[in-house]
Amino acid sequence: MRRLFLYAATALLAGCAATPTVLHFGMLDSAEGRLLRFPPPPEVPRYLYAGELIGEANFRRDDEQARSTLRRLFDAITGLDSADAPRVELQRPMAGMADERGRIYVTDMSRQAVFVFDTVAGELNVWDKAHGVTSFAAPVGIAAGREGEVLVADAELALVARLDASGNPKGTIGRGMLKRPTGVARDPARGLIYVADTHAHDVKVFDDSGALVEVVGRRGERPGEFNFPTHVAFARGELYVTDSMNNRVQVFTADGEVLKREFGARGLYVGNLVRPKGVAVDNEGNVYVVEGYYDHLLVFGPGGEFLLPIGGTGAGAGRFYLPSGVWVDSRNRVFVADIGLPATSGPDAQAITSLEQRVFHLGHVGLELGSFCTGILGVLEARDHVLAQV
């Protein structure tokens, strides 16, 4: 009877395994995050908390509860404990991007890999090879390349790795020319790749073949010069560079030859740039800058005017600890790579900490006073100005 029941349980588990998995951002798992809006009432909300990405735990089956019961029963019969199996989770997320295929890519410096959250296939993949048999050492920046390629800047290997859509190495860019590359972005119209070379204090521009075509800036504090540039973004025909130790963001023309504007300054107030890191731009021209010292995501208007802060130091939904990268997908959803504080202390603190390496996810609700943008916002939908669960 024990053997027959074991076969039956195994068959049921196999049937459950055939049920497709779906990416969940986990917003409904956090009571504090279910209707978390920025800015908070009574101000008009412009952004909605939409959950977090932490790893394989984000992928669930529709029959997860029934499957979990069967799994516990199976473990009890066999003497196995699936809870002891190591989980694939983020440890030190640095930056990311989203592509048109519905995949979300996150670089992880501690894991020395790229995490690929595939929303269509319902699976998490981990890419760890930079070129040939060489593994990533310190992947930081990531951007979409030509014909479905993925570009990853590795600060320790001092190169930009070119990967195909399946994560297979296709070659490198900048070997022997880069000192410590961190940020990377691409202009798809001109086929130009921009690399923030932090220790060289410049931005190097390559074409799609990997040839160096331009070097933007040099070390200094004057307009057009850099002091440890770390992140770059390309949007709306302009190049955005986080000039970290000069406490500003500089915006150039696509060829990098003309500085169009700059914004940010040292200071003690929210909205100042003390340790700016990641930079991104949405399709309305709003600019997002990670302020690493005070653990904020700062939102600026197209002209560099400060609009509002999001976050602040703390644990739990809507708070950051050591955030780094930020990116925006085609649906205007904003993602922030954040290490995160543990939610508690005591004997369970280590377990909680392992779940706090995350990508914070916001839904964009527009910046026009008093109005929402209609559409799917991560796991929320704005319809007739009423927020409803999808």
Side-chain angles (χ1 to χ4, degrees), residues 264-297:
R266 297 180 180 90
L268 301 175
Y269 300 100
V270 175
N272 293 138
L273 299 181
V274 183
R275 288 293 183 270
K277 296 182 179 179
V279 60
V281 186
D282 66 22
N283 62 21
E284 297 176 2
N286 302 304
V287 185
Y288 304 88
V289 182
V290 171
E291 210 305 288
Y293 191 83
Y294 290 114
D295 299 319
H296 276 107
L297 175 66

Side-chain angles (χ1 to χ4, degrees), residues 54-135:
I54 58 175
E56 63 179 351
N58 288 103
F59 290 94
R60 308 174 190 169
R61 294 178 172 85
D62 292 335
D63 58 352
E64 190 71 28
Q65 183 173 358
R67 183 174 180 275
S68 296
T69 302
L70 284 173
R71 171 57 68 182
R72 289 194 296 270
L73 183 59
F74 180 79
D75 291 344
I77 295 170
T78 62
L80 301 174
D81 187 357
S82 59
D84 293 336
R87 303 186 69 117
V88 180
E89 295 176 342
L90 294 166
Q91 291 184 350
R92 191 181 175 189
M94 300 301 296
M97 73 165 195
D99 68 13
E100 296 178 352
R101 295 184 292 268
R103 299 200 289 188
I104 302 167
Y105 304 78
V106 183
T107 57
D108 191 311
M109 184 175 287
S110 182
R111 288 282 191 178
Q112 299 176 305
V114 177
F115 279 55
V116 184
F117 296 82
D118 194 326
T119 61
V120 176
E123 63 184 13
L124 173 66
N125 294 301
V126 180
W127 299 347
D128 61 0
K129 289 294 184 282
H131 66 93
V133 296
T134 303
S135 299

Side-chain angles (χ1 to χ4, degrees), residues 93-381:
M94 300 301 296
M97 73 165 195
D99 68 13
E100 296 178 352
R101 295 184 292 268
R103 299 200 289 188
I104 302 167
Y105 304 78
V106 183
T107 57
D108 191 311
M109 184 175 287
S110 182
R111 288 282 191 178
Q112 299 176 305
V114 177
F115 279 55
V116 184
F117 296 82
D118 194 326
T119 61
V120 176
E123 63 184 13
L124 173 66
N125 294 301
V126 180
W127 299 347
D128 61 0
K129 289 294 184 282
H131 66 93
V133 296
T134 303
S135 299
F136 285 110
V140 183
I142 187 168
R146 64 180 177 182
E147 299 176 351
E149 288 185 348
V150 177
L151 307 173
V152 182
D154 192 297
E156 292 294 334
L157 297 180
L159 54 79
V160 174
R162 294 174 51 213
L163 311 177
D164 66 16
S166 299
N168 302 308
K170 299 286 289 183
T172 63
I173 295 172
R175 293 185 72 180
M177 292 179 277
L178 297 168
K179 291 186 177 181
R180 188 174 177 82
T182 49
V184 61
R186 180 175 179 269
D187 174 5
R190 296 162 58 96
L192 295 178
I193 299 167
Y194 308 92
V195 183
D197 197 352
T198 302
H199 284 185
H201 308 283
D202 60 32
V203 174
K204 292 181 171 65
V205 186
F206 301 87
D207 62 21
D208 278 332
S209 70
L212 180 66
V213 298
E214 183 68 61
V215 176
V216 180
R218 61 182 181 182
R219 188 166 195 179
E221 298 181 353
R222 293 182 298 181
E225 297 178 336
F226 301 114
N227 193 12
F228 293 97
T230 53
H231 292 261
V232 291
F234 188 87
R236 301 162 68 92
E238 296 178 325
L239 172 64
Y240 294 74
V241 183
T242 302
D243 189 6
S244 292
M245 297 306 289
N246 282 332
N247 312 92
R248 63 188 177 186
V249 173
Q250 300 196 71
V251 186
F252 296 83
T253 54
D255 55 16
E257 295 183 358
V258 179
L259 176 65
K260 299 185 69 174
R261 61 190 178 279
E262 61 179 85
F263 59 91
R266 297 180 180 90
L268 301 175
Y269 300 100
V270 175
N272 293 138
L273 299 181
V274 183
R275 288 293 183 270
K277 296 182 179 179
V279 60
V281 186
D282 66 22
N283 62 21
E284 297 176 2
N286 302 304
V287 185
Y288 304 88
V289 182
V290 171
E291 210 305 288
Y293 191 83
Y294 290 114
D295 299 319
H296 276 107
L297 175 66
L298 303 179
V299 186
F300 296 86
E305 63 277 15
F306 177 58
L307 298 178
L308 75 151
I310 294 174
T313 305
R319 293 288 179 173
F320 302 124
Y321 180 68
L322 300 179
S324 55
V326 59
W327 63 100
V328 181
D329 70 6
S330 61
R331 293 159 63 182
N332 253 15
R333 299 182 302 180
V334 183
F335 298 80
V336 180
D338 178 48
I339 291 181
L341 278 170
T344 186
S345 59
D348 295 329
Q350 186 60 42
I352 297 295
T353 301
S354 68
L355 294 178
E356 288 296 315
Q357 329 304 323
R358 61 196 180 174
V359 171
F360 185 82
H361 176 209
L362 296 171
H364 187 196
V365 196
L367 285 169
E368 292 186 8
L369 187 63
S371 66
F372 289 100
C373 295
T374 301
I376 303 298
L377 305 173
V379 292
L380 291 178
E381 182 176 9

